[in-house]
């Protein structure tokens, strides 16, 4: 089974797992993952307009913001409208 997908369990196992929920949430949950965005990736300039996951949307938004700020090495004169 995939660890990040919540699983059903019996009443006995529920009582055993309840004290571990905070630890599991902080180590396995998607919200605890670190997201790294490559500064010089080609996907920065060639974004797919539709994304499926929130992680991909965050990366796309980061690239868009970097393209409109001083970090833009191709066209340094671009500004947000």
């Amino acid at each position: 089974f995939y660890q990040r997908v919540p699983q059903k369990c019996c009443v006995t196992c529920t009582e055993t797992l309840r004290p571990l929920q905070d630890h599991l949430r902080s180590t396995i949950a998607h919200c605890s993952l670190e997201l790294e965005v490559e500064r010089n990736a080609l996907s920065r300039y060639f974004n797919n307009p539709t994304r499926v996951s929130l992680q991909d949307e965050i990366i796309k938004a980061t690239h868009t913001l970097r393209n409109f700020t001083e970090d833009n090495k191709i066209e340094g004169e671009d500004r947000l409208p």
Side-chain angles (χ1 to χ4, degrees):
F1 69 93
Y2 186 58
Q3 287 184 347
R4 296 186 195 285
V5 176
Q7 303 293 317
K8 293 182 179 182
C9 61
C10 64
V11 175
T12 306
C13 294
T14 300
E15 295 305 318
T16 306
L17 292 172
R18 192 175 308 276
L20 301 173
Q21 288 302 306
D22 288 333
H23 172 71
L24 294 172
R25 195 175 301 121
S26 66
T27 57
I28 294 178
H30 282 289
C31 64
S32 64
L33 294 177
E34 293 284 329
L35 182 62
E36 293 188 25
V37 179
E38 294 182 38
R39 278 180 122 46
N40 298 323
L42 283 178
S43 62
R44 175 178 172 179
Y45 304 105
F46 303 106
N47 279 321
N48 184 357
T50 56
R51 298 294 175 125
V52 180
S53 70
L54 181 59
Q55 180 178 355
D56 290 339
E57 286 292 337
I58 292 170
I59 292 172
K60 185 174 74 171
T62 303
H63 288 318
T64 301
L65 288 173
R66 284 187 176 158
N67 288 339
F68 279 107
T69 61
E70 294 175 10
D71 194 34
N72 188 0
K73 304 294 186 210
I74 290 180
E75 298 178 29
E77 298 302 316
D78 288 348
R79 297 282 184 254
L80 286 171

